[in-house]
Amino acid sequence: MTSTPTAIPKFLPTATDLGVVAVGFSGGQCKPGVDAAPSALIDAGLLKQLSADLGFTLHHDNIIHDYVSIRPASDPDYRSMKNPIAVSAVTQRLSEQVYEHASQGRCVLTLGGDHSVAIGSIAGVARAVRERLEGRELAVIWVDAHADINTPETSLSGNIHGMPVAFLSGLALSDRPDIFGWLQPDQLISLKKLVYIGLRDVDPGEKRILREHGVRAFSMHDIDKHGIGKVMEMALGHIGADTPIHLSFDVDALDPLIAPSTGTPVRGGLTLREGDFICECVHETGSLVGLDLVRVT
């Protein structure tokens, strides 16, 4: 998109008010670098382009949040999860920050950070949508090479960046307030309103979960077979025209020949044009209320 947004928003009072939260956090996985992504994106002119070129009115505190002050000194593994208390604390705080924007009717852009931050961003948007729109559910389009729907019990690595969808959908539960027990029903999403695009590296336990729950998932095979245009028609048709959409975009969905700056590259991904097209199609619906851009390393 290189011009001012023209889609008429269905679920927001204006098309140009954009809340921005920059999250310099990498605790959901073990590779360094992704925590520096928000600074790099902003230094490269992302926010200036959104404002000057696209005409958005930005609501941003000009802070790259690293949440060091709320991370514990000791954070032992719990149910195989690594850094569980830190990730839980950070995502809980992020959910509050995102909610502050979303509750005022702004679309919210969250710059990560690893994909664990989506626990916070989507929880915040889902809560605000239910409050503002009389209980309406939030749909999520998850663009990623990976499904990120492992539970702590099915995860092969223990890295929480592979579990956000499980916690957001209620598949993974916790009775500890300091380890995702803070998630409430109004912050969760329905698997019936979840769509994956770009999958090509899915763990065995995740495949079982997707099959058992009938989750709509478009792999790279589906994109090769049908083309990205038809895939987007099917994805948006599954969600329906009456549902607000949160787009969670992991850069590793793109082929590493195009986007090598990610810590989890998987060959055979989306082209740059296909990635652009997904975003354009979601924007054109007028249903977009939240967006994550994560996993830039």
PDB file of all heavy atoms in Angstrom, residues 38-73:
ATOM      1  N   PRO A  38      11.967  -3.905  16.645  1.00  0.00           N
ATOM      2  CA  PRO A  38      11.198  -2.656  16.627  1.00  0.00           C
ATOM      3  C   PRO A  38      12.069  -1.425  16.412  1.00  0.00           C
ATOM      4  O   PRO A  38      11.708  -0.527  15.640  1.00  0.00           O
ATOM      5  CB  PRO A  38      10.524  -2.638  18.010  1.00  0.00           C
ATOM      6  CG  PRO A  38      10.450  -4.070  18.406  1.00  0.00           C
ATOM      7  CD  PRO A  38      11.700  -4.697  17.865  1.00  0.00           C
ATOM      8  N   SER A  39      13.218  -1.387  17.073  1.00  0.00           N
ATOM      9  CA  SER A  39      14.130  -0.250  16.885  1.00  0.00           C
ATOM     10  C   SER A  39      14.590  -0.165  15.437  1.00  0.00           C
ATOM     11  O   SER A  39      14.623   0.926  14.843  1.00  0.00           O
ATOM     12  CB  SER A  39      15.354  -0.390  17.800  1.00  0.00           C
ATOM     13  OG  SER A  39      14.991  -0.333  19.153  1.00  0.00           O
ATOM     14  N   ALA A  40      14.938  -1.312  14.843  1.00  0.00           N
ATOM     15  CA  ALA A  40      15.415  -1.316  13.464  1.00  0.00           C
ATOM     16  C   ALA A  40      14.323  -0.864  12.507  1.00  0.00           C
ATOM     17  O   ALA A  40      14.581  -0.086  11.569  1.00  0.00           O
ATOM     18  CB  ALA A  40      15.907  -2.717  13.094  1.00  0.00           C
ATOM     19  N   LEU A  41      13.104  -1.334  12.708  1.00  0.00           N
ATOM     20  CA  LEU A  41      11.995  -0.951  11.834  1.00  0.00           C
ATOM     21  C   LEU A  41      11.690   0.537  11.939  1.00  0.00           C
ATOM     22  O   LEU A  41      11.457   1.218  10.933  1.00  0.00           O
ATOM     23  CB  LEU A  41      10.754  -1.773  12.178  1.00  0.00           C
ATOM     24  CG  LEU A  41      10.827  -3.268  11.846  1.00  0.00           C
ATOM     25  CD1 LEU A  41       9.660  -4.006  12.475  1.00  0.00           C
ATOM     26  CD2 LEU A  41      10.828  -3.482  10.335  1.00  0.00           C
ATOM     27  N   ILE A  42      11.705   1.048  13.168  1.00  0.00           N
ATOM     28  CA  ILE A  42      11.423   2.466  13.359  1.00  0.00           C
ATOM     29  C   ILE A  42      12.554   3.325  12.809  1.00  0.00           C
ATOM     30  O   ILE A  42      12.326   4.345  12.145  1.00  0.00           O
ATOM     31  CB  ILE A  42      11.157   2.760  14.849  1.00  0.00           C
ATOM     32  CG1 ILE A  42       9.836   2.090  15.273  1.00  0.00           C
ATOM     33  CG2 ILE A  42      11.115   4.262  15.114  1.00  0.00           C
ATOM     34  CD1 ILE A  42       9.579   2.111  16.760  1.00  0.00           C
ATOM     35  N   ASP A  43      13.798   2.901  13.057  1.00  0.00           N
ATOM     36  CA  ASP A  43      14.947   3.642  12.518  1.00  0.00           C
ATOM     37  C   ASP A  43      14.936   3.654  10.993  1.00  0.00           C
ATOM     38  O   ASP A  43      15.427   4.600  10.365  1.00  0.00           O
ATOM     39  CB  ASP A  43      16.261   3.035  13.014  1.00  0.00           C
ATOM     40  CG  ASP A  43      16.495   3.289  14.499  1.00  0.00           C
ATOM     41  OD1 ASP A  43      15.800   4.150  15.075  1.00  0.00           O
ATOM     42  OD2 ASP A  43      17.371   2.616  15.078  1.00  0.00           O
ATOM     43  N   ALA A  44      14.384   2.595  10.396  1.00  0.00           N
ATOM     44  CA  ALA A  44      14.321   2.513   8.935  1.00  0.00           C
ATOM     45  C   ALA A  44      13.200   3.370   8.349  1.00  0.00           C
ATOM     46  O   ALA A  44      13.059   3.459   7.129  1.00  0.00           O
ATOM     47  CB  ALA A  44      14.149   1.065   8.503  1.00  0.00           C
ATOM     48  N   GLY A  45      12.386   3.975   9.226  1.00  0.00           N
ATOM     49  CA  GLY A  45      11.378   4.915   8.754  1.00  0.00           C
ATOM     50  C   GLY A  45       9.962   4.393   8.681  1.00  0.00           C
ATOM     51  O   GLY A  45       9.094   5.026   8.071  1.00  0.00           O
ATOM     52  N   LEU A  46       9.684   3.242   9.305  1.00  0.00           N
ATOM     53  CA  LEU A  46       8.343   2.664   9.212  1.00  0.00           C
ATOM     54  C   LEU A  46       7.261   3.620   9.710  1.00  0.00           C
ATOM     55  O   LEU A  46       6.255   3.858   9.023  1.00  0.00           O
ATOM     56  CB  LEU A  46       8.277   1.354  10.007  1.00  0.00           C
ATOM     57  CG  LEU A  46       6.896   0.698  10.087  1.00  0.00           C
ATOM     58  CD1 LEU A  46       6.382   0.318   8.707  1.00  0.00           C
ATOM     59  CD2 LEU A  46       6.927  -0.529  10.996  1.00  0.00           C
ATOM     60  N   LEU A  47       7.447   4.176  10.894  1.00  0.00           N
ATOM     61  CA  LEU A  47       6.406   5.040  11.443  1.00  0.00           C
ATOM     62  C   LEU A  47       6.273   6.338  10.651  1.00  0.00           C
ATOM     63  O   LEU A  47       5.159   6.861  10.476  1.00  0.00           O
ATOM     64  CB  LEU A  47       6.703   5.344  12.919  1.00  0.00           C
ATOM     65  CG  LEU A  47       6.725   4.126  13.857  1.00  0.00           C
ATOM     66  CD1 LEU A  47       6.840   4.573  15.306  1.00  0.00           C
ATOM     67  CD2 LEU A  47       5.494   3.251  13.662  1.00  0.00           C
ATOM     68  N   LYS A  48       7.382   6.853  10.166  1.00  0.00           N
ATOM     69  CA  LYS A  48       7.327   8.064   9.339  1.00  0.00           C
ATOM     70  C   LYS A  48       6.548   7.799   8.053  1.00  0.00           C
ATOM     71  O   LYS A  48       5.775   8.638   7.594  1.00  0.00           O
ATOM     72  CB  LYS A  48       8.743   8.539   9.015  1.00  0.00           C
ATOM     73  CG  LYS A  48       9.505   9.098  10.210  1.00  0.00           C
ATOM     74  CD  LYS A  48      10.900   9.550   9.819  1.00  0.00           C
ATOM     75  CE  LYS A  48      11.660  10.100  11.026  1.00  0.00           C
ATOM     76  NZ  LYS A  48      13.050  10.497  10.663  1.00  0.00           N
ATOM     77  N   GLN A  49       6.754   6.619   7.479  1.00  0.00           N
ATOM     78  CA  GLN A  49       6.021   6.283   6.269  1.00  0.00           C
ATOM     79  C   GLN A  49       4.531   6.136   6.553  1.00  0.00           C
ATOM     80  O   GLN A  49       3.692   6.598   5.770  1.00  0.00           O
ATOM     81  CB  GLN A  49       6.560   4.991   5.661  1.00  0.00           C
ATOM     82  CG  GLN A  49       5.909   4.636   4.320  1.00  0.00           C
ATOM     83  CD  GLN A  49       6.474   3.372   3.702  1.00  0.00           C
ATOM     84  OE1 GLN A  49       7.083   2.564   4.386  1.00  0.00           O
ATOM     85  NE2 GLN A  49       6.273   3.203   2.421  1.00  0.00           N
ATOM     86  N   LEU A  50       4.190   5.502   7.656  1.00  0.00           N
ATOM     87  CA  LEU A  50       2.784   5.353   8.015  1.00  0.00           C
ATOM     88  C   LEU A  50       2.107   6.710   8.189  1.00  0.00           C
ATOM     89  O   LEU A  50       0.953   6.906   7.792  1.00  0.00           O
ATOM     90  CB  LEU A  50       2.658   4.546   9.312  1.00  0.00           C
ATOM     91  CG  LEU A  50       2.958   3.053   9.220  1.00  0.00           C
ATOM     92  CD1 LEU A  50       3.014   2.437  10.611  1.00  0.00           C
ATOM     93  CD2 LEU A  50       1.918   2.339   8.360  1.00  0.00           C
ATOM     94  N   SER A  51       2.827   7.642   8.768  1.00  0.00           N
ATOM     95  CA  SER A  51       2.278   8.968   9.025  1.00  0.00           C
ATOM     96  C   SER A  51       2.315   9.861   7.785  1.00  0.00           C
ATOM     97  O   SER A  51       1.277  10.341   7.312  1.00  0.00           O
ATOM     98  CB  SER A  51       3.043   9.632  10.178  1.00  0.00           C
ATOM     99  OG  SER A  51       2.577  10.935  10.405  1.00  0.00           O
ATOM    100  N   ALA A  52       3.512  10.081   7.238  1.00  0.00           N
ATOM    101  CA  ALA A  52       3.676  11.049   6.150  1.00  0.00           C
ATOM    102  C   ALA A  52       3.141  10.536   4.819  1.00  0.00           C
ATOM    103  O   ALA A  52       2.498  11.291   4.066  1.00  0.00           O
ATOM    104  CB  ALA A  52       5.158  11.412   6.017  1.00  0.00           C
ATOM    105  N   ASP A  53       3.398   9.276   4.508  1.00  0.00           N
ATOM    106  CA  ASP A  53       3.014   8.745   3.198  1.00  0.00           C
ATOM    107  C   ASP A  53       1.603   8.187   3.168  1.00  0.00           C
ATOM    108  O   ASP A  53       0.903   8.314   2.158  1.00  0.00           O
ATOM    109  CB  ASP A  53       3.990   7.649   2.768  1.00  0.00           C
ATOM    110  CG  ASP A  53       5.398   8.165   2.554  1.00  0.00           C
ATOM    111  OD1 ASP A  53       5.584   9.395   2.588  1.00  0.00           O
ATOM    112  OD2 ASP A  53       6.310   7.341   2.361  1.00  0.00           O
ATOM    113  N   LEU A  54       1.178   7.550   4.259  1.00  0.00           N
ATOM    114  CA  LEU A  54      -0.120   6.890   4.269  1.00  0.00           C
ATOM    115  C   LEU A  54      -1.190   7.662   5.020  1.00  0.00           C
ATOM    116  O   LEU A  54      -2.355   7.295   4.986  1.00  0.00           O
ATOM    117  CB  LEU A  54       0.010   5.478   4.848  1.00  0.00           C
ATOM    118  CG  LEU A  54       0.965   4.541   4.100  1.00  0.00           C
ATOM    119  CD1 LEU A  54       0.929   3.151   4.711  1.00  0.00           C
ATOM    120  CD2 LEU A  54       0.619   4.485   2.628  1.00  0.00           C
ATOM    121  N   GLY A  55      -0.799   8.709   5.728  1.00  0.00           N
ATOM    122  CA  GLY A  55      -1.785   9.577   6.351  1.00  0.00           C
ATOM    123  C   GLY A  55      -2.377   9.095   7.655  1.00  0.00           C
ATOM    124  O   GLY A  55      -3.409   9.612   8.106  1.00  0.00           O
ATOM    125  N   PHE A  56      -1.739   8.129   8.303  1.00  0.00           N
ATOM    126  CA  PHE A  56      -2.241   7.678   9.597  1.00  0.00           C
ATOM    127  C   PHE A  56      -1.917   8.693  10.686  1.00  0.00           C
ATOM    128  O   PHE A  56      -0.853   9.333  10.667  1.00  0.00           O
ATOM    129  CB  PHE A  56      -1.623   6.330   9.980  1.00  0.00           C
ATOM    130  CG  PHE A  56      -2.210   5.155   9.252  1.00  0.00           C
ATOM    131  CD1 PHE A  56      -1.552   4.581   8.177  1.00  0.00           C
ATOM    132  CD2 PHE A  56      -3.431   4.635   9.637  1.00  0.00           C
ATOM    133  CE1 PHE A  56      -2.088   3.507   7.503  1.00  0.00           C
ATOM    134  CE2 PHE A  56      -3.981   3.542   8.971  1.00  0.00           C
ATOM    135  CZ  PHE A  56      -3.308   2.982   7.895  1.00  0.00           C
ATOM    136  N   THR A  57      -2.805   8.824  11.636  1.00  0.00           N
ATOM    137  CA  THR A  57      -2.545   9.569  12.859  1.00  0.00           C
ATOM    138  C   THR A  57      -2.047   8.572  13.891  1.00  0.00           C
ATOM    139  O   THR A  57      -2.804   7.703  14.342  1.00  0.00           O
ATOM    140  CB  THR A  57      -3.813  10.264  13.370  1.00  0.00           C
ATOM    141  OG1 THR A  57      -4.282  11.178  12.378  1.00  0.00           O
ATOM    142  CG2 THR A  57      -3.518  11.025  14.661  1.00  0.00           C
ATOM    143  N   LEU A  58      -0.771   8.664  14.233  1.00  0.00           N
ATOM    144  CA  LEU A  58      -0.157   7.673  15.106  1.00  0.00           C
ATOM    145  C   LEU A  58      -0.318   8.041  16.571  1.00  0.00           C
ATOM    146  O   LEU A  58      -0.160   9.201  16.953  1.00  0.00           O
ATOM    147  CB  LEU A  58       1.327   7.521  14.771  1.00  0.00           C
ATOM    148  CG  LEU A  58       1.680   7.111  13.343  1.00  0.00           C
ATOM    149  CD1 LEU A  58       3.185   6.898  13.216  1.00  0.00           C
ATOM    150  CD2 LEU A  58       0.932   5.852  12.923  1.00  0.00           C
ATOM    151  N   HIS A  59      -0.604   7.024  17.364  1.00  0.00           N
ATOM    152  CA  HIS A  59      -0.672   7.166  18.821  1.00  0.00           C
ATOM    153  C   HIS A  59       0.384   6.218  19.387  1.00  0.00           C
ATOM    154  O   HIS A  59       0.153   5.018  19.519  1.00  0.00           O
ATOM    155  CB  HIS A  59      -2.066   6.817  19.331  1.00  0.00           C
ATOM    156  CG  HIS A  59      -3.149   7.649  18.722  1.00  0.00           C
ATOM    157  ND1 HIS A  59      -3.583   8.832  19.270  1.00  0.00           N
ATOM    158  CD2 HIS A  59      -3.865   7.467  17.572  1.00  0.00           C
ATOM    159  CE1 HIS A  59      -4.535   9.332  18.512  1.00  0.00           C
ATOM    160  NE2 HIS A  59      -4.728   8.531  17.479  1.00  0.00           N
ATOM    161  N   HIS A  60       1.544   6.774  19.685  1.00  0.00           N
ATOM    162  CA  HIS A  60       2.696   5.967  20.083  1.00  0.00           C
ATOM    163  C   HIS A  60       3.451   6.717  21.160  1.00  0.00           C
ATOM    164  O   HIS A  60       3.611   7.932  21.090  1.00  0.00           O
ATOM    165  CB  HIS A  60       3.611   5.721  18.869  1.00  0.00           C
ATOM    166  CG  HIS A  60       4.822   4.902  19.159  1.00  0.00           C
ATOM    167  ND1 HIS A  60       6.087   5.242  18.730  1.00  0.00           N
ATOM    168  CD2 HIS A  60       4.972   3.747  19.856  1.00  0.00           C
ATOM    169  CE1 HIS A  60       6.948   4.339  19.145  1.00  0.00           C
ATOM    170  NE2 HIS A  60       6.300   3.421  19.825  1.00  0.00           N
ATOM    171  N   ASP A  61       3.913   5.997  22.178  1.00  0.00           N
ATOM    172  CA  ASP A  61       4.601   6.640  23.297  1.00  0.00           C
ATOM    173  C   ASP A  61       6.092   6.848  23.055  1.00  0.00           C
ATOM    174  O   ASP A  61       6.814   7.287  23.951  1.00  0.00           O
ATOM    175  CB  ASP A  61       4.386   5.851  24.590  1.00  0.00           C
ATOM    176  CG  ASP A  61       4.852   4.398  24.476  1.00  0.00           C
ATOM    177  OD1 ASP A  61       5.543   4.060  23.491  1.00  0.00           O
ATOM    178  OD2 ASP A  61       4.519   3.601  25.377  1.00  0.00           O
ATOM    179  N   ASN A  62       6.555   6.505  21.837  1.00  0.00           N
ATOM    180  CA  ASN A  62       7.964   6.679  21.467  1.00  0.00           C
ATOM    181  C   ASN A  62       8.916   5.894  22.366  1.00  0.00           C
ATOM    182  O   ASN A  62      10.046   6.318  22.616  1.00  0.00           O
ATOM    183  CB  ASN A  62       8.347   8.168  21.472  1.00  0.00           C
ATOM    184  CG  ASN A  62       7.574   8.959  20.438  1.00  0.00           C
ATOM    185  OD1 ASN A  62       7.482   8.555  19.283  1.00  0.00           O
ATOM    186  ND2 ASN A  62       7.002  10.077  20.853  1.00  0.00           N
ATOM    187  N   ILE A  63       8.445   4.755  22.847  1.00  0.00           N
ATOM    188  CA  ILE A  63       9.253   3.879  23.700  1.00  0.00           C
ATOM    189  C   ILE A  63       9.309   2.488  23.071  1.00  0.00           C
ATOM    190  O   ILE A  63       8.292   1.969  22.592  1.00  0.00           O
ATOM    191  CB  ILE A  63       8.669   3.788  25.125  1.00  0.00           C
ATOM    192  CG1 ILE A  63       8.668   5.157  25.804  1.00  0.00           C
ATOM    193  CG2 ILE A  63       9.449   2.774  25.967  1.00  0.00           C
ATOM    194  CD1 ILE A  63       7.943   5.173  27.138  1.00  0.00           C
ATOM    195  N   ILE A  64      10.503   1.900  23.075  1.00  0.00           N
ATOM    196  CA  ILE A  64      10.641   0.480  22.741  1.00  0.00           C
ATOM    197  C   ILE A  64      10.567  -0.274  24.059  1.00  0.00           C
ATOM    198  O   ILE A  64      11.495  -0.228  24.863  1.00  0.00           O
ATOM    199  CB  ILE A  64      11.968   0.179  22.025  1.00  0.00           C
ATOM    200  CG1 ILE A  64      12.180   1.125  20.845  1.00  0.00           C
ATOM    201  CG2 ILE A  64      11.996  -1.284  21.593  1.00  0.00           C
ATOM    202  CD1 ILE A  64      11.157   0.992  19.745  1.00  0.00           C
ATOM    203  N   HIS A  65       9.497  -0.953  24.312  1.00  0.00           N
ATOM    204  CA  HIS A  65       9.275  -1.582  25.610  1.00  0.00           C
ATOM    205  C   HIS A  65      10.028  -2.908  25.699  1.00  0.00           C
ATOM    206  O   HIS A  65       9.781  -3.823  24.911  1.00  0.00           O
ATOM    207  CB  HIS A  65       7.779  -1.818  25.835  1.00  0.00           C
ATOM    208  CG  HIS A  65       6.979  -0.560  25.908  1.00  0.00           C
ATOM    209  ND1 HIS A  65       6.848   0.166  27.071  1.00  0.00           N
ATOM    210  CD2 HIS A  65       6.297   0.125  24.955  1.00  0.00           C
ATOM    211  CE1 HIS A  65       6.101   1.238  26.841  1.00  0.00           C
ATOM    212  NE2 HIS A  65       5.757   1.234  25.567  1.00  0.00           N
ATOM    213  N   ASP A  66      10.946  -2.997  26.672  1.00  0.00           N
ATOM    214  CA  ASP A  66      11.653  -4.260  26.892  1.00  0.00           C
ATOM    215  C   ASP A  66      11.196  -4.956  28.177  1.00  0.00           C
ATOM    216  O   ASP A  66      11.541  -6.112  28.410  1.00  0.00           O
ATOM    217  CB  ASP A  66      13.170  -4.055  26.913  1.00  0.00           C
ATOM    218  CG  ASP A  66      13.622  -3.076  28.001  1.00  0.00           C
ATOM    219  OD1 ASP A  66      12.843  -2.804  28.943  1.00  0.00           O
ATOM    220  OD2 ASP A  66      14.754  -2.579  27.898  1.00  0.00           O
ATOM    221  N   TYR A  67      10.437  -4.247  28.993  1.00  0.00           N
ATOM    222  CA  TYR A  67       9.807  -4.831  30.176  1.00  0.00           C
ATOM    223  C   TYR A  67      10.805  -5.450  31.157  1.00  0.00           C
ATOM    224  O   TYR A  67      10.460  -6.367  31.914  1.00  0.00           O
ATOM    225  CB  TYR A  67       8.765  -5.887  29.779  1.00  0.00           C
ATOM    226  CG  TYR A  67       7.757  -5.398  28.776  1.00  0.00           C
ATOM    227  CD1 TYR A  67       7.867  -5.733  27.430  1.00  0.00           C
ATOM    228  CD2 TYR A  67       6.682  -4.601  29.148  1.00  0.00           C
ATOM    229  CE1 TYR A  67       6.953  -5.277  26.492  1.00  0.00           C
ATOM    230  CE2 TYR A  67       5.752  -4.146  28.224  1.00  0.00           C
ATOM    231  CZ  TYR A  67       5.901  -4.486  26.892  1.00  0.00           C
ATOM    232  OH  TYR A  67       5.000  -4.040  25.965  1.00  0.00           O
ATOM    233  N   VAL A  68      12.023  -4.949  31.166  1.00  0.00           N
ATOM    234  CA  VAL A  68      13.050  -5.508  32.047  1.00  0.00           C
ATOM    235  C   VAL A  68      12.615  -5.451  33.508  1.00  0.00           C
ATOM    236  O   VAL A  68      12.870  -6.381  34.286  1.00  0.00           O
ATOM    237  CB  VAL A  68      14.389  -4.768  31.851  1.00  0.00           C
ATOM    238  CG1 VAL A  68      15.388  -5.196  32.919  1.00  0.00           C
ATOM    239  CG2 VAL A  68      14.958  -5.054  30.468  1.00  0.00           C
ATOM    240  N   SER A  69      11.917  -4.415  33.877  1.00  0.00           N
ATOM    241  CA  SER A  69      11.542  -4.219  35.282  1.00  0.00           C
ATOM    242  C   SER A  69      10.539  -5.246  35.789  1.00  0.00           C
ATOM    243  O   SER A  69      10.413  -5.437  37.007  1.00  0.00           O
ATOM    244  CB  SER A  69      10.965  -2.817  35.482  1.00  0.00           C
ATOM    245  OG  SER A  69       9.754  -2.663  34.758  1.00  0.00           O
ATOM    246  N   ILE A  70       9.825  -5.916  34.886  1.00  0.00           N
ATOM    247  CA  ILE A  70       8.836  -6.900  35.349  1.00  0.00           C
ATOM    248  C   ILE A  70       9.267  -8.335  35.069  1.00  0.00           C
ATOM    249  O   ILE A  70       8.522  -9.270  35.344  1.00  0.00           O
ATOM    250  CB  ILE A  70       7.449  -6.645  34.736  1.00  0.00           C
ATOM    251  CG1 ILE A  70       7.483  -6.779  33.203  1.00  0.00           C
ATOM    252  CG2 ILE A  70       6.919  -5.280  35.139  1.00  0.00           C
ATOM    253  CD1 ILE A  70       6.100  -6.695  32.565  1.00  0.00           C
ATOM    254  N   ARG A  71      10.479  -8.516  34.575  1.00  0.00           N
ATOM    255  CA  ARG A  71      10.980  -9.871  34.357  1.00  0.00           C
ATOM    256  C   ARG A  71      11.604 -10.391  35.645  1.00  0.00           C
ATOM    257  O   ARG A  71      12.353  -9.672  36.317  1.00  0.00           O
ATOM    258  CB  ARG A  71      12.019  -9.895  33.242  1.00  0.00           C
ATOM    259  CG  ARG A  71      11.489  -9.453  31.890  1.00  0.00           C
ATOM    260  CD  ARG A  71      12.506  -9.763  30.804  1.00  0.00           C
ATOM    261  NE  ARG A  71      12.457  -8.829  29.709  1.00  0.00           N
ATOM    262  CZ  ARG A  71      13.270  -8.848  28.667  1.00  0.00           C
ATOM    263  NH1 ARG A  71      14.250  -9.766  28.619  1.00  0.00           N
ATOM    264  NH2 ARG A  71      13.158  -7.965  27.699  1.00  0.00           N
ATOM    265  N   PRO A  72      11.335 -11.636  36.013  1.00  0.00           N
ATOM    266  CA  PRO A  72      11.840 -12.165  37.288  1.00  0.00           C
ATOM    267  C   PRO A  72      13.330 -12.492  37.230  1.00  0.00           C
ATOM    268  O   PRO A  72      13.874 -12.797  36.159  1.00  0.00           O
ATOM    269  CB  PRO A  72      11.017 -13.430  37.477  1.00  0.00           C
ATOM    270  CG  PRO A  72      10.731 -13.887  36.088  1.00  0.00           C
ATOM    271  CD  PRO A  72      10.521 -12.621  35.284  1.00  0.00           C
ATOM    272  N   ALA A  73      13.979 -12.433  38.376  1.00  0.00           N
ATOM    273  CA  ALA A  73      15.393 -12.818  38.457  1.00  0.00           C
ATOM    274  C   ALA A  73      15.564 -14.317  38.251  1.00  0.00           C
ATOM    275  O   ALA A  73      16.555 -14.781  37.692  1.00  0.00           O
ATOM    276  CB  ALA A  73      15.972 -12.397  39.807  1.00  0.00           C
TER     277      ALA A  73
END
